Amino acid sequence: MTTDGGGLVLVVEHDPAVAELQRRYLAREGFDVEIEPEPARAPAAARRSRPDVVVLDLSASALPADLYRRVTEAARPAPVIAVTGHLDPAIGRALGEHRVDRPFGPRVLVAAVAEALRRGVPAETAGPLRAGPLALDPRGRVAVIGDRRVTLTGTEFDLLEFLMGNPGRVYTREQLLDAAWGPGAGAGSRTVDVHVAQLRAKLGERNPIRTVRGVGYVLDA
């Protein structure tokens, strides 16, 4: 991680022309820039270079379903700016506070990088989420229902965290795909049904996830 100048920015961008334009504008403002053209290699690149901030393009097709989560974990404590299209505000919160929606100019990206460096990673200070007997610790990634700890996969945890962070609101399967798997993940809506069924099985009879027929799912607080 760079300790002087503007800091090191890891840009994950598959389009060479776009990556070069972003590099030029960021370098002009004093940032060191490393380009990673292969999204699948982004977590390894973040662990290797220890950047001060990551710019992660999520608009490419056929991205790994859990790419955003893996990059965020690999880059921590550096913030990750998700570059994507327009999203529902609640789904945007699932991607963190650092996000740039296409289309945007290079100066917008430079400003977003500077702001991300100033604000850091607010998710690290997030407190526990609760819904009846269910408690979720986003920082430690621990789920407890009653006095029983529940073992969840990374995607199950992300899906449950999103629903618990937005109780009482009904979400379609497509919205939940964007929230837990990331935009452009390419997974089908059936994937959501499978993971909700797995969550319900693990949480037992006291699980708070309710099906809204013909629409999607809601978490009852």
Side-chain angles (χ1 to χ4, degrees):
M1 183 176 290
T2 302
T3 58
D4 56 2
L8 175 62
V9 181
L10 173 63
V11 173
V12 182
E13 172 57 62
H14 69 287
D15 187 321
V18 173
E20 175 58 21
L21 182 63
Q22 293 177 356
R23 186 199 66 76
R24 286 207 312 264
Y25 271 81
L26 288 166
R28 192 176 300 170
E29 297 300 318
F31 293 102
D32 294 322
V33 181
E34 178 178 327
I35 305 295
E36 174 51 67
E38 296 293 337
R41 294 205 299 255
R47 284 190 292 268
R48 180 187 69 251
S49 60
R50 305 308 305 161
D52 294 282
V53 63
V54 178
V55 176
L56 176 62
D57 179 19
L58 293 174
S59 64
S61 60
L63 291 176
D66 58 348
L67 180 63
Y68 177 80
R69 177 179 60 81
R70 290 195 293 116
V71 172
T72 299
E73 291 175 353
R76 188 170 287 132
V80 177
I81 298 175
V83 176
T84 184
H86 178 70
L87 297 174
D88 177 282
I91 295 176
R93 287 195 294 274
L95 290 177
E97 295 188 22
H98 307 301
R99 199 174 93 248
V100 176
D101 296 332
R102 293 187 183 275
F104 61 89
R107 291 184 179 85
V108 172
L109 179 63
V110 171
V113 168
E115 178 68 5
L117 285 171
R118 185 181 70 81
R119 297 177 66 181
V121 189
E124 287 296 297
T125 60
L129 299 171
R130 299 187 182 278
L134 178 61
L136 203 71
D137 177 10
R139 185 173 182 178
R141 295 185 72 81
V142 173
V144 176
I145 188 161
D147 58 358
R148 177 173 63 89
R149 180 164 176 167
V150 183
T151 300
L152 302 176
T153 66
T155 302
E156 289 169 351
F157 191 97
D158 291 343
L159 179 59
L160 184 59
E161 180 183 4
F162 177 74
L163 286 169
M164 290 184 69
N166 301 277
R169 180 167 180 176
V170 180
Y171 286 97
T172 67
R173 290 166 176 80
E174 289 72 22
Q175 288 174 319
L176 292 173
L177 276 171
D178 281 349
W181 282 262
S189 60
R190 175 62 181 160
T191 301
V192 176
D193 295 333
V194 170
H195 280 75
V196 168
Q198 291 171 178
L199 276 172
R200 285 171 166 166
K202 290 182 178 181
L203 295 175
E205 295 180 356
R206 304 168 78 186
N207 92 84
I209 304 173
R210 177 167 54 89
T211 301
V212 179
R213 189 176 299 275
V215 183
Y217 297 97
V218 60
L219 185 135
D220 294 324

